[in-house]
Amino acid sequence: MHVEAQQKHFGGFFFSCNRATATFAHRTNHKKVVDEDHVSSSSSSSPSFEAFCDPLQSQQSSKLKPAGAMRNGRGTSEQWAAAAPGVRPRAASVRRRLVLAFALAVLTLVAVTAAAVALGVRFEECGGPEEGAAATAGPGRRGGERAEEEAAAAPWRASRLPGSLRPRHYDLRVAVRMDNFTFAGDVSIDVECVNATRFVVLHAHALQVSSVSVTANRPGGGAVRVQRHFLFPANQMLVLVLHRELKAPRTYRVNVTFDAAIEDELLGFFRSSYTLDGERRYLAVTQFSPTHARKAFPCFDEPAYKATFSLSLRHDPQYTSLANMPVERGGGDDDDGGGDDGWTTRRFARTPRMSTYYLAWAVCNFTSRETRGDGGVAIRLFARPDAVASGAGDYSLHIAKRLLGFYQDFFQVQYSLPKLDLLAVPKHPYAAMENWGLSVFVEQKILLDARVSSASYRMELTMVVVHEICHQWFGDLVTPVWWEDVWLKEGFAHYFEYVGTDFLFPKWNMEKQRFLTDVLHEVMLLDGLSSSHAISQEVQDAADIHRVFDWIAYKKGAALIRMLANVMGQRLFRKGLNDYLLSHMYGNAARDDLWRKLSEAMRSEGQGIDIGAVMDRWTLQMGYPVVTISKNRSERFATRYITVSQEHFLYGQDGRGNSSLQWQVPLTVAMGNGSWVCSERLIWIHNKTETHRVSEMDDETWLLGNINQTGYFRVNYDLQNWKLLIQQLRTNPQVISVGNRAGLIDDAFNLARCRISDVIINEGRKHRTSSPYIRYHARTPSSGCLTMRCAARRAGYLPQGVPLQLIGYLAEEAAFLPWHAASRALYQLDKLLDRTDDYALFSDYVLKQVASRYHQMGWPSNAANGDGSVLRASYQTEELQRELIMLACSFGNKQCHRQAVGYISDWISSNKNRIPPNIRDVIYCTGVSLMDEDVWEFIWMKFHSSNAISEKKILLEALTCSDNTFLLNRLLNLSLTSDLVAEQDAIDVVVHVGRNPRGRNLAWRFFRDKWDVLNARYGEALFMNSRLINGVTEFLNTDAELYELKDFIQSNGVGAGPALARALEVVEGNVRWHRLHRRHFYQWLRKAPSPAHR
């Protein structure tokens, strides 16, 4: 029978079954409680039926029998005959037969009813549609009451665990077969009963469960009879239905035996491989975050269900095994008595209390190096034998030791485990995973060849290690209660990437500089979309969990923590974090717990700021404000007052954001004039518009808000103030801090792009107008007169010419950060313009801005860093040099192109790579784009043969730079079919081909044609699917491409999460920019002044 038809036929019995179960439960409250530890000797012929509707059969039978009826049909028929005197024997015999037939018919009806209900129950276990369950609610019941009743009767139908049982300890034994990639295990879970229940509900997914049992953990306690167990795939749950209730607050032991395959899908317990001396070798490793521990063993797979774990791994002795804890004394490399099969069993020490998704193990034949941290903590790095022998892991091992001491000192909380392992694997869905005591990294994020790695690669690798070790406190030791506050761990780890890297290399100045461009500016682009969301968002089920792991959680979380640290001051901030960690160690916490501890730290110094009241506005609302500062020129206030207003900043359809949103804004303000700047002042902005007194200002005094960009908001000014700031940058930029110079560039470009209501700007004043055009007339800072025209039907907060004039000072900019901010803004424009007919106007404009500083900085030495040192004092200079070369080559500087071609030609002819490591990615890409197919084949061959992880990465990306569409198509297809391209790298291939103007249509078509394959491969992996979707679509900017995207979403949008909605908004914005701004943008470029020179 077809499933839908089956439920329709038997759906009416669900209500009877549920009512009968409820009646039975009510009646048993009036009986003497039978000890559930007693094993009943009776057995049911229909356990399926008994499990859900024990009393139903007797209930129905009693209704069918008349009063005084005997136990069989004959008794009933004889009673009927005796009641009718005078009936002849033959007639009585006939009547007796009729009564007997009637009785048999009744019994048959009862049997059919029982079978029907049993089939209905069996159907319900299989997770069919919900019509039957809906029928039980009745027409007059409210949805909430119905949901509560359903959850009580069938708790496995709820998306969250019922909470009746709490795990205390897992004893997990796993046997791993690497010859056929399977594993088998059994787990014993000590649970505490919190609320009486007949159901044990826990998580299990993609497991074959072979046996289950439940026993009482108390003297004299016995087995608790399990009537049945079944998997409920819809919620990835395993359900044990018990004969009697478990009683609170008793403890029990749940035992489950299971087996499964070691899959090749990057999640759960999965396999990977590498080649050593021509031999393919395999390893198996776990990735449980966020909801994949259930794929490796049955467990209570939610963060708040913390427990301790004892783990034993059994495997072929040619492998070694690792886990969160060290091998237990006397528990390693011994046979456990299972026979002369030659297997090895390793028993690992008991873990502290932790969440299931931080449990980890690996079976591999790696080698290692070890060092010792403070307090004797063993720090080990495991990797491929050839990588370890070459010293590729030494750098990460060195900084891990230093970082462990740094965090212990910063947090004033000791590292909790006796060892910390760093495991480098060839294939992993993420850069790294912070499993407690066993952090797993993809090779390219932890292995470093100092001879060929660039400064930027070293920086990236360093920050990944810093991030994961921070998680040993924020995440492992103190875990968010639920996924809605995942930013509590990811935001802190992302913030400390920069703080910890500053500890390692103070000259890099990461927290005050690179944080701005790489975190603050990047996430504000995302958070300015209407498809953004609050950093704390409601999470109901497993599908929602993947939605919260995005850059809002990581980068906005980090930016808000940085803002809070600057408001509180470092000393009080550290005091609050220490109290937070000590109060919740080995447990869970929510955002209010953090706010409470930070507020207590403030009050301890007599400062009454309610951190929760301030930060709830930033964490429970989407987006951020744009704060507009202007001098108040009225006679009443003279020039000692400023007017400050705030509103929701939003790119998008109508420009203005949600008018109901307000924030408590910690605005720092400074003033300057020519060669001086006054000290900053903190002003709290609570309302839409406020007036504040500052120092006396004259007409030449400029205002500057958000000093060093510590706040998470944009700042706008009246146009006269923008004019004064531009003049300051052209005459003496060092008066304004390097962070604020970068911030002015980023704010100006984004304020010009944000679409708001029409404005007319004249002599520094702004008025509403119904005119479809805007004109801006102002005096130029560099000459006597400038007419800056920006006409658009819909304009931004600023005319298009303001940011372009602002970066005119860059010829005199000697610092890396403002150039980096400017290049990011210019590349945003480049992706909009690179297929337009007038593109040369834009590229020429960029080259004019770059030319002077590019020639002044020159090219780096072609000598590799021979001593292997990774500590370079000239980091900022190297990064600026690289940024200028990249801009020059990208936008067509002929001298840059000749230099790149010369480097590639020398490499091919001499077979010696003399290209400086810091610019290899730029040279490789430029050479491939300019030279013939033989160069592409040469790079492809080098990609095959290189053993350096960082080198392989940039070689693969260089292959996507070709102008040859045949080669690009070939590369796209190889990315999914060749073993030479790792699964996590295939996304980079597709995205980088899409960035190439010649490959954009190819990548977009490939993405749509291969969507089912790509989604099946990456759909469950956090970030991967969204990175693929965003990377392929962000460069689309025509009406035709927008139509294709809408059609794709309509056909394939289910299951892709919010990434497609965000992609649609971005592409709509790109198309809108072309319609509203492109013509006027090019008009300004045709009249653009030359770059300023002093």
Side-chain angles (χ1 to χ4, degrees):
M1 181 180 290
H2 193 269
V3 170
E4 287 81 2
Q6 178 176 318
Q7 180 171 12
K8 187 173 181 180
H9 186 75
F10 294 119
F13 290 101
F14 290 165
F15 183 50
S16 300
C17 175
N18 289 338
R19 283 187 60 188
T21 304
T23 303
F24 175 75
H26 174 72
R27 287 177 179 172
T28 54
N29 289 334
H30 300 286
K31 297 180 180 180
K32 181 178 179 180
V33 177
V34 180
D35 191 338
E36 69 277 18
D37 298 338
H38 176 69
V39 181
S40 174
S41 60
S42 62
S43 62
S44 170
S45 61
S46 178
S48 318
F49 184 64
E50 181 182 335
F52 293 90
C53 304
D54 285 335
L56 187 57
Q57 185 169 354
S58 59
Q59 220 176 358
Q60 290 174 333
S61 299
S62 64
K63 291 179 180 177
L64 292 170
K65 295 176 184 177
M70 298 184 68
R71 293 183 180 179
N72 51 54
R74 186 172 61 187
T76 302
S77 64
E78 288 173 350
Q79 184 184 32
W80 178 84
V87 179
R88 291 176 303 180
R90 180 179 176 84
S93 176
V94 170
R95 289 189 181 97
R96 189 177 297 112
R97 289 175 183 174
L98 288 173
V99 171
L100 181 60
F102 176 77
L104 289 173
V106 170
L107 290 174
T108 301
L109 179 61
V110 171
V112 170
T113 302
V117 174
L119 285 171
V121 170
R122 294 293 297 171
F123 173 73
E124 188 174 72
E125 292 173 11
C126 293
E130 303 288 350
E131 290 87 353
T136 67
R141 298 193 179 183
R142 294 178 297 178
E145 293 176 352
R146 182 180 67 185
E148 290 178 4
E149 290 181 3
E150 288 179 353
W156 55 90
R157 290 191 172 275
S159 60
R160 298 281 300 275
L161 293 173
S164 301
L165 302 174
R166 305 287 300 187
R168 291 294 174 255
H169 178 71
Y170 292 80
D171 190 0
L172 176 61
R173 297 160 295 278
V174 180
V176 181
R177 294 191 64 97
M178 296 298 290
D179 55 345
N180 62 4
F181 302 120
T182 61
F183 68 100
D186 60 89
V187 62
S188 298
I189 312 173
D190 292 333
V191 299
E192 176 188 354
C193 183
V194 179
N195 298 303
T197 180
R198 282 186 60 209
F199 305 108
V200 176
V201 180
L202 63 165
H203 288 108
H205 182 49
L207 300 175
Q208 295 294 325
V209 175
S210 52
S211 67
V212 298
S213 64
V214 179
T215 57
N217 278 348
R218 60 191 181 94
V224 181
R225 180 173 147 199
V226 179
Q227 288 188 337
R228 66 151 35 94
H229 69 273
F230 60 90
L231 293 167
F232 188 69
N235 287 331
Q236 301 179 352
M237 289 180 178
L238 169 65
V239 183
L240 281 62
V241 183
L242 307 180
H243 184 69
R244 297 286 184 235
E245 280 189 339
L246 304 182
K247 299 296 183 182
R250 296 178 184 175
T251 60
Y252 301 85
R253 171 162 288 196
V254 178
N255 305 286
V256 185
T257 304
F258 58 92
D259 59 83
I262 304 173
E263 299 288 358
D264 189 24
E265 62 172 13
L266 303 179
L267 299 169
F269 186 28
F270 69 93
R271 68 181 185 267
S272 182
S273 66
Y274 63 96
T275 302
L276 183 66
D277 298 329
E279 176 192 356
R280 173 77 71 179
R281 296 190 176 188
Y282 290 92
L283 64 143
V285 65
T286 59
Q287 170 54 43
F288 290 163
S289 177
T291 58
H292 304 294
R294 63 194 68 177
K295 292 182 177 180
F297 66 105
C299 56
F300 295 82
D301 200 13
E302 291 182 7
Y305 288 80
K306 284 194 167 187
T308 55
F309 294 82
S310 295
L311 173 66
S312 295
L313 292 176
R314 182 172 165 81
H315 52 79
D316 190 299
Q318 70 173 298
Y319 294 92
T320 189
S321 53
L322 305 170
N324 304 82
M325 298 294 287
V327 174
E328 205 171 46
R329 186 181 298 275
D333 298 334
D334 62 300
D335 193 272
D336 66 353
D340 297 326
D341 55 6
W343 280 48
T344 291
T345 298
R346 304 190 89 190
R347 292 186 290 274
F348 297 92
R350 186 174 180 134
T351 71
R353 288 186 70 242
M354 65 183 192
S355 300
T356 49
Y357 72 91
Y358 282 133
L359 184 68
W361 65 81
V363 177
C364 58
N365 45 21
F366 285 172
T367 55
S368 66
R369 289 196 179 175
E370 180 175 343
T371 186
R372 290 276 167 176
D374 295 344
V377 175
I379 305 171
R380 305 181 297 180
L381 184 136
F382 288 81
R384 292 177 285 111
D386 55 334
V388 172
S390 70
D394 292 354
Y395 171 71
S396 296
L397 195 62
H398 168 71
I399 64 172
K401 176 181 177 179
R402 296 183 62 200
L403 287 166
L404 209 60
F406 164 73
Y407 284 125
Q408 290 181 137
D409 178 67
F410 193 100
F411 300 138
Q412 289 295 295
V413 177
Q414 292 298 300
Y415 178 67
S416 301
L417 303 187
K419 61 97 175 174
L420 173 61
D421 289 340
L422 313 176
L423 176 65
V425 297
K427 185 172 68 173
H428 198 265
Y430 317 120
M433 177 62 204
E434 68 272 13
N435 309 307
W436 210 354
L438 178 59
S439 291
V440 181
F441 299 76
V442 70
E443 287 181 335
Q444 63 187 236
K445 300 302 182 184
I446 194 169
L447 300 181
L448 176 74
D449 187 335
R451 297 166 301 170
V452 299
S453 297
S454 66
S456 59
Y457 181 85
R458 291 195 303 276
M459 182 194 74
E460 183 181 355
L461 182 150
T462 300
M463 296 175 73
V464 172
V465 176
V466 174
H467 180 108
E468 301 310 321
I469 295 181
C470 177
H471 271 312
Q472 305 297 306
W473 284 264
F474 283 91
D476 297 353
L477 183 64
V478 179
T479 311
V481 172
W482 183 236
W483 300 107
E484 63 192 10
D485 282 332
V486 70
W487 70 271
L488 276 180
K489 71 184 187 77
E490 297 301 347
F492 270 102
H494 205 61
Y495 169 66
F496 275 99
E497 284 182 30
Y498 296 83
V499 177
T501 304
D502 273 345
F503 162 76
L504 295 171
F505 309 114
K507 291 183 179 180
W508 290 9
N509 210 5
M510 300 294 291
E511 190 270 336
K512 286 184 171 58
Q513 293 193 18
R514 199 62 185 256
F515 185 95
L516 305 184
T517 52
D518 294 5
V519 178
L520 183 66
H521 298 172
E522 184 170 323
V523 75
M524 290 177 91
L525 282 172
L526 183 64
D527 205 20
L529 299 173
S530 61
S531 56
S532 185
H533 57 81
I535 193 173
S536 291
Q537 53 179 327
E538 188 175 358
V539 176
Q540 292 291 347
D541 52 37
D544 290 331
I545 293 171
H546 292 74
R547 177 168 48 86
V548 303
F549 280 87
D550 62 7
W551 284 136
I552 298 294
Y554 283 68
K555 293 182 181 288
K556 184 175 180 178
L560 294 181
I561 290 164
R562 179 174 178 264
M563 179 174 73
L564 186 55
N566 278 275
V567 168
M568 294 181 65
Q570 284 297 316
R571 186 174 59 84
L572 291 180
F573 179 65
R574 291 174 67 168
K575 174 178 170 55
L577 294 187
N578 172 256
D579 290 345
Y580 169 77
L581 290 171
L582 289 176
S583 298
H584 300 285
M585 61 194 308
Y586 306 113
N588 299 85
R591 59 182 177 273
D592 286 341
D593 298 312
L594 176 64
W595 304 151
R596 190 177 304 110
K597 292 301 178 183
L598 295 178
S599 294
E600 289 174 4
M602 294 291 282
R603 285 195 296 272
S604 70
E605 296 288 332
Q607 300 185 42
I609 298 177
D610 185 343
I611 299 296
V614 172
M615 295 306 296
D616 278 350
R617 296 286 186 94
W618 296 95
T619 58
L620 301 180
Q621 297 179 158
M622 66 171 283
Y624 55 87
V626 53
V627 175
T628 301
I629 309 172
S630 59
K631 297 176 186 176
N632 191 316
R633 299 177 181 278
S634 69
E635 294 181 1
R636 177 183 176 189
F637 295 121
T639 55
R640 290 180 177 273
Y641 289 84
I642 58 172
T643 298
V644 183
S645 62
Q646 62 162 302
E647 62 179 306
H648 182 201
F649 179 89
L650 194 68
Y651 310 99
Q653 297 289 340
D654 54 9
R656 298 282 178 183
N658 187 337
S659 61
S660 67
L661 298 183
Q662 283 184 225
W663 290 263
Q664 294 191 40
V665 182
L667 174 66
T668 48
V669 180
M671 295 176 294
N673 186 347
S675 60
W676 63 270
V677 59
C678 73
S679 57
E680 64 184 85
R681 174 185 172 186
L682 175 62
I683 301 171
W684 281 97
I685 309 301
H686 302 280
N687 303 305
K688 287 287 188 181
T689 303
E690 298 181 4
T691 300
H692 291 271
R693 182 185 175 98
V694 295
S695 302
E696 186 171 349
M697 300 172 288
D698 59 29
D699 290 342
E700 299 303 314
T701 303
W702 46 257
L703 293 163
L704 184 66
N706 197 14
I707 306 305
N708 295 320
Q709 290 225 290
T710 57
Y712 186 71
F713 48 88
R714 297 198 184 279
V715 181
N716 192 20
Y717 311 94
D718 59 67
L719 285 176
Q720 178 63 21
N721 199 77
W722 278 110
K723 171 188 171 182
L724 293 170
L725 290 169
I726 292 172
Q727 184 170 346
Q728 180 68 66
L729 291 174
R730 288 177 177 248
T731 56
N732 189 3
Q734 281 70 35
V735 168
I736 298 174
S737 72
V738 65
N740 275 116
R741 299 202 298 273
L744 285 169
I745 292 169
D746 185 70
D747 279 347
F749 273 98
N750 285 280
L751 290 167
R753 184 171 181 181
C754 179
R755 181 185 175 204
I756 62 171
S757 301
D758 289 338
V759 295
I760 186 167
I761 305 161
N762 185 22
E763 296 298 331
R765 297 179 180 239
K766 183 164 61 174
H767 306 282
R768 299 280 173 189
T769 178
S770 57
S771 170
Y773 294 99
I774 299 167
R775 291 183 183 273
Y776 164 46
H777 303 281
R779 295 185 65 81
T780 176
S782 59
S783 62
C785 180
L786 162 74
T787 300
M788 186 191 316
R789 296 189 177 189
C790 175
R793 296 185 180 277
R794 289 285 190 180
Y797 286 93
L798 287 178
Q800 295 290 305
V802 171
L804 295 173
Q805 283 222 18
L806 182 68
I807 64 172
Y809 93 96
L810 285 175
E812 303 302 321
E813 179 59 77
F816 161 72
L817 193 69
W819 273 106
H820 191 49
S823 69
R824 290 170 58 89
L826 292 170
Y827 285 127
Q828 287 287 327
L829 288 170
D830 183 65
K831 75 180 184 182
L832 293 169
L833 300 170
D834 61 4
R835 293 182 294 174
T836 60
D837 294 336
D838 293 328
Y839 177 71
L841 279 172
F842 175 65
S843 61
D844 288 346
Y845 167 80
V846 174
L847 290 176
K848 287 177 183 177
Q849 310 305 312
V850 173
S852 175
R853 183 58 61 175
Y854 162 71
H855 289 297
Q856 184 177 345
M857 293 293 295
W859 285 64
S861 167
N862 62 2
N865 193 24
D867 62 358
S869 170
V870 295
L871 306 177
R872 299 187 182 183
S874 59
Y875 166 76
Q876 298 288 346
T877 301
E878 283 189 341
E879 286 297 273
L880 175 58
Q881 195 174 50
R882 180 179 180 277
E883 194 79 52
L884 292 167
I885 292 171
M886 185 164 56
L887 283 166
C889 280
S890 297
F891 286 95
N893 181 285
K894 300 301 182 185
Q895 191 273 340
C896 190
H897 284 180
R898 286 194 299 271
Q899 190 84 357
V901 170
Y903 269 128
I904 297 292
S905 299
D906 175 69
W907 185 16
I908 293 173
S909 62
S910 68
N911 202 29
K912 292 182 179 179
N913 190 343
R914 288 185 264 261
I915 305 170
N918 210 40
I919 57 170
R920 284 188 177 182
D921 57 340
V922 180
I923 301 305
Y924 293 173
C925 181
T926 304
V928 168
S929 69
L930 295 174
M931 302 171 78
D932 59 22
E933 184 176 340
D934 290 341
V935 173
W936 194 95
E937 296 290 353
F938 175 80
I939 297 294
W940 175 250
M941 178 190 68
K942 291 297 183 182
F943 168 70
H944 283 290
S945 60
S946 176
N947 291 321
I949 301 299
S950 60
E951 186 75 355
K952 288 184 77 73
K953 180 178 185 293
I954 61 175
L955 286 167
L956 182 61
E957 291 177 359
L959 293 168
T960 69
C961 299
S962 175
D963 284 349
N964 188 320
T965 56
F966 170 79
L967 294 176
L968 294 177
N969 253 328
R970 175 183 166 190
L971 184 61
L972 286 170
N973 288 312
L974 284 171
S975 69
L976 289 185
T977 59
S978 173
D979 290 338
L980 297 169
V981 180
E983 284 190 31
Q984 65 266 17
D985 294 334
I987 288 180
D988 290 331
V989 171
V990 180
V991 169
H992 280 80
V993 170
R995 290 178 180 174
N996 182 343
R998 296 293 183 89
R1000 193 159 304 163
N1001 291 333
L1002 298 178
W1004 174 224
R1005 183 169 60 249
F1006 181 84
F1007 169 81
R1008 288 174 289 162
D1009 292 344
K1010 303 294 185 182
W1011 169 248
D1012 289 340
V1013 175
L1014 293 166
N1015 194 42
R1017 178 184 286 192
Y1018 304 116
E1020 279 194 279
L1022 305 177
F1023 280 114
M1024 279 195 161
N1025 229 19
S1026 61
R1027 183 157 63 91
L1028 175 64
I1029 292 169
N1030 296 339
V1032 170
T1033 60
E1034 67 173 324
F1035 293 87
L1036 306 180
N1037 56 43
T1038 67
D1039 287 311
E1041 289 166 341
L1042 176 60
Y1043 175 82
E1044 290 170 349
L1045 177 59
K1046 289 180 176 178
D1047 183 63
F1048 175 80
I1049 292 173
Q1050 186 174 6
S1051 303
N1052 303 277
V1054 177
L1060 282 175
R1062 185 164 56 244
L1064 178 61
E1065 185 179 357
V1066 169
V1067 176
E1068 287 174 338
N1070 293 344
V1071 172
R1072 186 169 56 248
W1073 188 92
H1074 274 275
R1075 186 175 69 251
L1076 301 178
H1077 297 305
R1078 185 179 71 188
R1079 181 167 63 90
H1080 307 289
F1081 182 83
Y1082 277 134
Q1083 285 177 354
W1084 189 92
L1085 289 178
R1086 290 187 180 96
K1087 301 177 182 179
S1090 299
H1093 297 279
R1094 286 188 291 163

